[in-house]
Amino acid sequence: MTTEGWPSDWLRGVLEVCVLRSVAAAPTYGYAIAADLEAAGLGSIKGGTLYPLLTRFEKAGVVAPEWRTGESGPARKYYSLTERGQSELAELTARWSAFSHVVTTHLGEPLDAELTTTSRKATS
Protein backbone atom coordinates (compact mmCIF):
# COMPACT_ATOMS: atom_id res chain seq x y z
CA MET A 1 0.00 0.00 0.00
CA THR A 2 1.33 3.43 -0.88
CA THR A 3 1.21 6.29 1.57
CA GLU A 4 -1.38 7.97 -0.65
CA GLY A 5 -3.61 5.00 0.12
CA TRP A 6 -3.98 5.62 3.86
CA PRO A 7 -7.65 5.88 4.76
CA SER A 8 -8.56 9.50 5.44
CA ASP A 9 -10.17 8.67 8.79
CA TRP A 10 -6.88 7.13 9.96
CA LEU A 11 -5.03 10.32 9.00
CA ARG A 12 -7.61 12.50 10.76
CA GLY A 13 -7.02 10.43 13.89
CA VAL A 14 -3.27 11.04 13.98
CA LEU A 15 -2.86 14.40 12.27
CA GLU A 16 -2.95 16.52 15.44
CA VAL A 17 -0.19 14.61 17.22
CA CYS A 18 1.90 14.37 14.05
CA VAL A 19 1.65 18.12 13.39
CA LEU A 20 2.62 18.86 16.98
CA ARG A 21 5.61 16.54 16.59
CA SER A 22 6.69 18.36 13.44
CA VAL A 23 6.47 21.72 15.22
CA ALA A 24 8.29 20.44 18.33
CA ALA A 25 11.70 20.15 16.69
CA ALA A 26 12.03 23.88 15.94
CA PRO A 27 9.86 26.82 14.88
CA THR A 28 8.54 26.04 11.43
CA TYR A 29 5.97 27.16 8.88
CA GLY A 30 3.02 25.44 7.20
CA TYR A 31 4.67 24.30 3.97
CA ALA A 32 7.61 22.82 5.90
CA ILE A 33 5.21 21.01 8.26
CA ALA A 34 3.39 19.49 5.28
CA ALA A 35 6.72 18.45 3.73
CA ASP A 36 7.82 16.87 7.02
CA LEU A 37 4.59 14.88 7.27
CA GLU A 38 4.95 13.71 3.67
CA ALA A 39 8.59 12.71 4.28
CA ALA A 40 7.43 10.75 7.34
CA GLY A 41 5.19 8.67 5.08
CA LEU A 42 1.81 10.23 5.81
CA GLY A 43 1.24 11.37 2.25
CA SER A 44 0.38 14.82 0.98
CA ILE A 45 -1.50 16.93 3.54
CA LYS A 46 -3.45 19.71 1.87
CA GLY A 47 -3.32 23.30 3.12
CA GLY A 48 -7.10 23.23 3.55
CA THR A 49 -6.56 20.54 6.18
CA LEU A 50 -3.35 21.82 7.79
CA TYR A 51 -3.99 25.54 8.20
CA PRO A 52 -7.34 25.27 9.99
CA LEU A 53 -5.67 22.85 12.42
CA LEU A 54 -2.83 25.32 13.04
CA THR A 55 -5.42 28.07 13.62
CA ARG A 56 -7.19 25.88 16.19
CA PHE A 57 -3.84 25.24 17.87
CA GLU A 58 -3.20 29.00 18.01
CA LYS A 59 -6.58 29.71 19.57
CA ALA A 60 -6.06 26.94 22.12
CA GLY A 61 -2.62 28.28 23.08
CA VAL A 62 -0.86 25.13 21.89
CA VAL A 63 1.34 26.93 19.34
CA ALA A 64 2.66 30.48 19.24
CA PRO A 65 2.86 32.17 15.84
CA GLU A 66 5.61 34.56 14.76
CA TRP A 67 5.88 36.34 11.44
CA ARG A 68 9.38 36.27 9.95
CA THR A 69 10.53 38.12 6.90
CA GLY A 70 11.78 35.96 4.09
CA GLU A 71 15.19 36.41 2.51
CA SER A 72 13.90 35.87 -1.01
CA GLY A 73 10.15 36.10 -0.65
CA PRO A 74 7.23 37.18 1.48
CA ALA A 75 7.10 36.89 5.25
CA ARG A 76 6.15 33.49 6.66
CA LYS A 77 4.17 32.62 9.75
CA TYR A 78 6.32 30.34 11.91
CA TYR A 79 4.84 28.19 14.65
CA SER A 80 6.49 26.99 17.84
CA LEU A 81 5.11 24.89 20.67
CA THR A 82 4.10 26.64 23.86
CA GLU A 83 4.44 24.94 27.25
CA ARG A 84 0.86 23.85 26.85
CA GLY A 85 1.71 22.47 23.41
CA GLN A 86 4.62 20.49 24.80
CA SER A 87 2.34 18.98 27.45
CA GLU A 88 -0.31 18.22 24.82
CA LEU A 89 2.28 16.52 22.60
CA ALA A 90 3.56 14.40 25.49
CA GLU A 91 0.04 13.34 26.48
CA LEU A 92 -1.12 12.58 22.94
CA THR A 93 2.08 10.67 22.18
CA ALA A 94 1.65 8.49 25.27
CA ARG A 95 -2.03 7.87 24.53
CA TRP A 96 -1.35 7.08 20.86
CA SER A 97 1.46 4.70 21.82
CA ALA A 98 -0.85 2.82 24.21
CA PHE A 99 -3.70 2.75 21.69
CA SER A 100 -1.50 1.55 18.81
CA HIS A 101 -0.08 -1.17 21.07
CA VAL A 102 -3.61 -2.40 21.83
CA VAL A 103 -4.55 -2.43 18.14
CA THR A 104 -1.30 -4.11 17.08
CA THR A 105 -1.71 -6.75 19.79
CA HIS A 106 -5.32 -7.37 18.81
CA LEU A 107 -4.49 -7.67 15.11
CA GLY A 108 -1.61 -10.03 15.85
CA GLU A 109 -3.72 -12.46 17.86
CA PRO A 110 -4.34 -15.74 16.09
CA LEU A 111 -7.90 -16.20 14.92
CA ASP A 112 -9.59 -18.89 16.99
CA ALA A 113 -11.74 -21.14 14.78
CA GLU A 114 -14.40 -21.38 17.51
CA LEU A 115 -14.51 -17.60 17.95
CA THR A 116 -14.80 -17.13 14.19
CA THR A 117 -17.64 -19.66 13.99
CA THR A 118 -19.44 -18.04 16.95
CA SER A 119 -19.08 -14.60 15.39
CA ARG A 120 -20.53 -15.82 12.10
CA LYS A 121 -23.53 -17.35 13.88
CA ALA A 122 -24.16 -14.15 15.82
CA THR A 123 -24.21 -12.01 12.66
CA SER A 124 -26.41 -14.39 10.67
Side-chain angles (χ1 to χ4, degrees):
M1 169 178 265
T2 66
T3 57
E4 294 299 324
W6 298 129
S8 60
D9 51 341
W10 291 6
L11 290 172
R12 277 190 301 275
V14 299
L15 190 58
E16 287 188 14
V17 68
C18 290
V19 168
L20 290 175
R21 176 62 183 93
S22 292
V23 175
T28 188
Y29 54 97
Y31 181 81
I33 294 168
D36 185 55
L37 296 172
E38 188 167 11
L42 294 172
S44 177
I45 307 299
K46 306 283 187 236
T49 300
L50 180 60
Y51 289 105
L53 176 60
L54 289 168
T55 299
R56 283 198 315 272
F57 283 163
E58 272 186 69
K59 288 179 180 178
V62 175
V63 297
E66 175 191 351
W67 283 97
R68 294 185 185 177
T69 57
E71 291 179 19
S72 61
R76 289 187 173 139
K77 192 175 196 179
Y78 279 73
Y79 300 90
S80 57
L81 286 187
T82 61
E83 259 185 60
R84 182 175 182 176
Q86 292 169 358
S87 295
E88 184 81 6
L89 175 58
E91 180 183 339
L92 289 174
T93 299
R95 291 180 71 198
W96 177 258
S97 180
F99 178 73
S100 64
H101 175 74
V102 168
V103 171
T104 301
T105 300
H106 177 68
L107 293 176
E109 292 176 355
L111 292 176
D112 182 3
E114 184 177 317
L115 177 63
T116 304
T117 304
T118 305
S119 296
R120 283 192 204 137
K121 287 179 185 176
T123 59
S124 299

